[in-house]
Amino acid sequence: MESIGVLMACPMNSYLEQQLEKRFKLYRFWTVPDKSSFLASHKDSIQAVVGNAGAGADAELIEALPKLEIVASFSVGLDKIDLAKCKEKGIRVTNTPDVLTEDVADLAIGLMLAVLRKLCESDRYVRSGKWKRGDYVLTTKFTGKKVGIIGLGRIGMAIAKRAEAFSCPISYYSRTEKPEIKYKYYPSVVELAAHCDILVVACPLTKETHHIINREVIDAMGPKGVLINIGRGPHVDEPELVSALVERRLGGAGLDVFENEPYVPEELFGLDNVVLLPHVGSGTVETRQAMADLVIGNLEAHFQKKPLLTPVV
Amino acid sequence: MAAEDQSQASQSDLPYVLILKPPASFLLFGDHFFDSPNFQYLKAYESPLPLPHFLHTHAQSIQALLSSGGAPVTADTIRLLPRLGLVVTTSQGLNHIDLSECRRRGIAVAGAGTIFSADCADSVVGLLIDVLRKVSASNRYVKQGLWSSQGTYPLGYKLGGKRVGIVGLGSIGTEVAKRLEAFGCSISYNSRSKKPLVPYTFYPNVVELAANCDALIVCCALTDETHHLISKEVLSALGKDGVIINIARGPIIDEKELVRCLVKGEIRGAGLDVFEHEPDVPVELFALDNVVMSPHSAVFTRESFDDLCKLVVGNLEAFFSNEPLLTPVALDDLPHFSGRKD
């Protein structure tokens, strides 16, 4: 398999790079000075693309690689892959579901606690020496708060299970109601937003869910509402969110993703009711290794003509 | 009598509750926070008299005392109050009250019951996720603009599947266990005695508990027995992949040793709400990204303070109407509390 060319879209994990190099001819796309001439000269040797949440395989890249057989994403999200084009050309697509579900759900709860209980700000308070002058402010209890989940897939369900242990009543919005689920369903995001204290985005990013958190939803959340986004930056109309937070029309936010990573609106930096993380939802040593093993496993299976481990297309 | 005179007369009939020092609630909400039409407060801290003199002057009027963590109720104080029948504390901890002396004198003690357990447990989980997933550290990183200039932040560690060891499986420890089970953690504990109806693994001492867990959570009371319970030996057993979370009392951990372990990387990290000499915190910790700290604020939510207000007033009103206390502390079965302050 050493002659099979694999194009890695961007840096994502050095263990994965190592493992890919052992088995294939690895091309690191981000090190190439002229991407279009590279593609022109290597189009016949690249049979696989490895992408992630930041970069995948759009129509242009797919068209430039006539020998492309498989796109293996180092993520569960598929928004950076032109799935329709892959289907059209018979290109297989795999992702990394399940192995990262727990980490992402854990982080969602961690963000809720950090925002409501002002954990990051309390830590800052202690480090600044201000505790000697007086106690920190009162915060808001997390136990018992109403949690509204947009998207009740693997990650949404894992968030619900954790929040239930804190006696949080759970409600959700999904494309269709799930009758076997005991949580309260709302047929629109605005209604869900109006009936919960903490709203968490846990659905895939598609054309339909782009800016699913807009001005109307933010208004429905109100000045005590807290938004948690562990989905994708473009789920949220970011300028609307920023002005709502700056103007205190929204109670707080815990954000792991942004519209234009790694750029984060600086107006958010000084807000004590906002926690900002650098897209670390699956960012643990254990999970990134499991994700890498899944990418390798899928590629090996494909080129050995065995069934794919986690196919999407 | 005129209405005013009448109310003044009934005011002076109201029983007195002594307050030695203002509790945190007064600083946050003003000193009418625990007011009731059924009793009145005698604030020792507002008097120019030295405390023993003040107590001597009012000894015959004081039947109840409202205490908080920063105002110890020592045997000496209790001896100056011959009519004292009740001590109500605003704190979860009881280590600042000489419970033996209360027991000897037949003085009832009313505690916080379980009103703070949820917030304490939430703080534990919040601190644990923060330490493992580097929430505060990476929030700092982003807010300094370093994500765009310096790239990705180092990976954290998975919480799911970790072994959690709880020191002290009381109300707070039980709430912690319930929450962490939902994250896929396995729970074990050490307590003064094994609890037969509990599904978690019991370890007879803290060293063994630490050796068999990845996250050690301190949830027990501070007593003479638990002072420096988390020793060099325990921290060594916890090991370099272990984290420790303390929302109980600072002196339960040998702080010098903890700081040394953290600075040398001998344990993975720590989440600390309490310290041996609050509000002083060892400055070595400020340089560490694997330590998350909070200013003894595990119960500092609006909701907990609302609940506290109802509870304190409720206990005092029950006492003065000869009704059962809402949250009496059983004085028979307790380990030795010498009543010294944190």
Side-chain angles (χ1 to χ4, degrees):
Chain A
M1 281 198 289
E2 290 79 15
S3 58
I4 296 173
V6 175
L7 180 68
M8 193 179 228
C10 60
M12 53 190 78
N13 184 275
S14 41
Y15 165 77
L16 178 58
E17 279 180 46
Q18 252 174 45
Q19 296 301 314
L20 286 169
E21 264 179 332
K22 279 196 187 142
R23 295 159 174 79
F24 308 105
K25 175 96 188 75
L26 178 67
Y27 298 100
R28 295 175 176 79
F29 206 25
W30 66 96
T31 63
V32 154
D34 183 338
K35 289 192 161 74
S36 39
S37 69
F38 168 85
L39 290 175
S41 55
H42 290 81
K43 62 180 168 59
D44 290 330
S45 35
I46 292 170
Q47 294 170 259
V49 166
V50 172
N52 72 349
D58 57 13
E60 204 190 322
L61 183 68
I62 294 167
E63 287 295 351
L65 298 171
K67 297 285 166 69
L68 183 61
E69 296 176 19
I70 178 166
V71 177
S73 195
F74 184 70
S75 71
V76 68
L78 298 160
D79 44 286
K80 291 288 200 242
I81 300 171
D82 190 326
L83 295 171
K85 186 121 270 196
C86 288
K87 251 198 201 100
E88 181 200 309
K89 290 185 173 277
I91 296 169
R92 307 303 308 275
V93 177
T94 66
N95 63 349
T96 60
D98 298 316
V99 293
L100 50 65
T101 300
E102 291 179 346
D103 270 355
V104 177
D106 292 352
L107 197 72
I109 303 292
L111 280 169
M112 293 180 200
L113 286 162
V115 174
L116 264 73
R117 298 297 306 275
K118 292 190 154 58
L119 294 179
C120 307
E121 292 302 313
S122 301
D123 177 82
R124 197 160 86 112
Y125 189 78
V126 174
R127 285 168 193 262
S128 71
K130 291 201 182 100
W131 192 9
K132 298 195 212 215
R133 287 187 253 139
D135 285 327
Y136 191 55
V137 299
L138 284 184
T139 58
T140 304
K141 186 172 189 148
F142 174 58
T143 285
K145 287 294 184 293
K146 296 185 287 227
V147 172
I149 305 175
I150 299 174
L152 213 58
R154 285 168 293 241
I155 293 172
M157 284 296 288
I159 293 171
K161 174 175 163 211
R162 282 151 179 72
E164 279 192 296
F166 295 80
S167 307
C168 295
I170 311 292
S171 50
Y172 72 102
Y173 164 79
S174 208
R175 281 170 302 172
T176 53
E177 184 171 3
K178 295 168 196 267
E180 71 280 12
I181 299 288
K182 56 192 163 148
Y183 309 134
K184 178 145 175 65
Y185 172 75
Y186 285 96
S188 76
V189 180
V190 170
E191 277 180 78
L192 179 67
H195 290 94
C196 67
D197 302 307
I198 301 168
L199 185 65
V200 55
V201 183
C203 59
L205 178 65
T206 63
K207 277 204 289 285
E208 291 75 35
T209 63
H210 182 264
H211 283 195
I212 197 170
I213 305 297
N214 56 20
R215 174 69 188 243
E216 201 191 350
V217 171
I218 291 170
D219 286 346
M221 289 178 73
K224 295 209 172 116
V226 170
L227 177 71
I228 304 295
N229 190 4
I230 46 83
R232 286 286 180 266
H235 275 129
V236 175
D237 182 339
E238 204 160 87
E240 281 292 350
L241 177 66
V242 171
S243 62
L245 287 165
V246 166
E247 292 164 24
R248 306 223 165 256
R249 288 183 281 111
L250 186 63
L255 309 170
D256 186 43
V257 287
F258 304 87
E259 287 209 83
N260 192 19
E261 294 169 20
Y263 299 100
V264 176
E266 287 187 19
E267 301 95 306
L268 299 179
F269 290 2
L271 300 180
D272 70 350
N273 57 342
V274 173
V275 175
L276 306 171
L277 301 181
H279 202 152
V280 291
S282 62
T284 66
V285 168
E286 298 93 329
T287 293
R288 289 289 166 85
Q289 166 142 354
M291 289 163 66
D293 288 341
L294 205 43
V295 168
I296 299 288
N298 274 304
L299 289 172
E300 284 188 323
H302 173 76
F303 291 111
Q304 289 167 12
K305 299 199 184 343
K306 291 189 183 141
L308 297 181
L309 306 179
T310 49
V312 174
V313 171
Chain B
M1 277 200 284
E4 245 181 49
D5 287 341
Q6 195 163 39
S7 72
Q8 276 183 354
S10 51
Q11 177 77 12
S12 66
D13 288 340
L14 290 180
Y16 282 102
V17 179
L18 174 69
I19 306 183
L20 297 171
K21 283 191 194 152
S25 323
F26 278 15
L27 303 172
L28 288 162
F29 297 101
D31 61 2
H32 293 290
F33 188 64
F34 293 120
D35 276 3
S36 157
N38 300 313
F39 51 83
Q40 55 185 323
Y41 290 103
L42 205 52
K43 293 164 187 160
Y45 58 91
E46 285 183 343
S47 165
L49 297 175
L51 184 64
H53 192 160
F54 179 86
L55 294 182
H56 186 76
T57 306
H58 296 280
Q60 295 309 313
S61 324
I62 294 167
Q63 296 176 63
L65 194 163
L66 177 58
S67 160
S68 54
V73 183
T74 61
D76 287 341
T77 301
I78 293 170
R79 283 184 203 128
L80 292 172
L81 300 168
R83 293 201 60 218
L84 186 63
L86 172 68
V87 173
V88 179
T89 182
T90 59
S91 61
Q92 178 75 55
L94 300 167
N95 52 293
H96 59 294
I97 301 170
D98 192 326
L99 296 175
S100 309
E101 186 65 15
C102 289
R103 180 171 49 202
R104 198 184 66 76
R105 279 274 305 275
I107 296 167
V109 177
T114 58
I115 63 167
F116 293 144
S117 300
D119 273 339
C120 283
D122 290 358
S123 292
V124 165
V125 179
L127 286 170
L128 181 57
I129 297 177
D130 195 325
V131 174
L132 288 176
R133 300 296 301 272
K134 304 178 195 282
V135 175
S136 285
S138 55
N139 172 62
R140 270 199 291 281
Y141 187 76
V142 173
K143 288 186 175 183
Q144 286 165 59
L146 298 174
W147 188 16
S148 48
S149 58
Q150 287 187 18
T152 53
Y153 197 73
L155 297 177
Y157 301 96
K158 188 179 168 116
L159 171 61
K162 290 287 189 294
R163 300 165 303 167
V164 169
I166 300 176
V167 182
L169 201 66
S171 172
I172 296 172
T174 302
E175 292 295 321
V176 169
K178 175 178 145 205
R179 283 154 177 72
L180 289 177
E181 279 192 295
F183 290 79
C185 294
S186 59
I187 311 291
S188 53
Y189 71 103
N190 168 258
S191 222
R192 279 172 296 149
S193 56
K194 184 166 188 221
K195 293 173 197 269
L197 298 172
V198 144
Y200 313 131
T201 305
F202 173 78
Y203 285 97
N205 63 69
V206 185
V207 174
E208 265 191 81
L209 181 70
N212 287 285
C213 74
D214 308 302
L216 193 64
I217 318 282
V218 183
C219 290
C220 60
L222 173 63
T223 67
D224 293 343
E225 284 78 33
T226 63
H227 183 265
H228 282 198
L229 177 69
I230 310 301
S231 60
K232 183 185 169 91
E233 201 190 349
V234 171
L235 291 169
S236 175
L238 183 60
K240 68 173 182 50
D241 292 337
V243 311
I244 185 160
I245 307 294
N246 188 7
I247 50 83
R249 284 288 180 268
I252 296 171
I253 300 183
D254 178 345
E255 197 164 273
K256 270 209 184 68
E257 186 55 32
L258 175 65
V259 171
R260 198 197 62 78
C261 283
L262 285 164
V263 166
K264 290 258 186 309
E266 287 175 19
I267 62 171
R268 178 173 275 172
L272 309 168
D273 186 51
V274 286
F275 303 85
E276 286 212 73
H277 306 289
E278 297 167 17
D280 290 323
V281 173
V283 295
E284 299 94 314
L285 299 181
F286 296 168
L288 302 176
D289 274 351
N290 59 340
V291 177
V292 181
M293 296 169 281
S294 48
H296 202 151
S297 51
V299 311
F300 265 55
T301 64
R302 278 177 207 93
E303 291 87 342
S304 268
F305 275 81
D306 283 343
D307 290 343
L308 179 65
C309 177
K310 294 190 184 83
L311 189 63
V312 164
V313 173
N315 270 308
L316 287 165
E317 287 184 343
F319 174 72
F320 289 120
S321 6
N322 287 315
E323 272 158 34
L325 295 174
L326 304 178
T327 49
V329 174
L331 295 180
D332 313 320
D333 164 50
L334 284 165
H336 188 54
F337 291 87
S338 59
R340 74 181 169 197
K341 187 168 143 21
D342 299 348

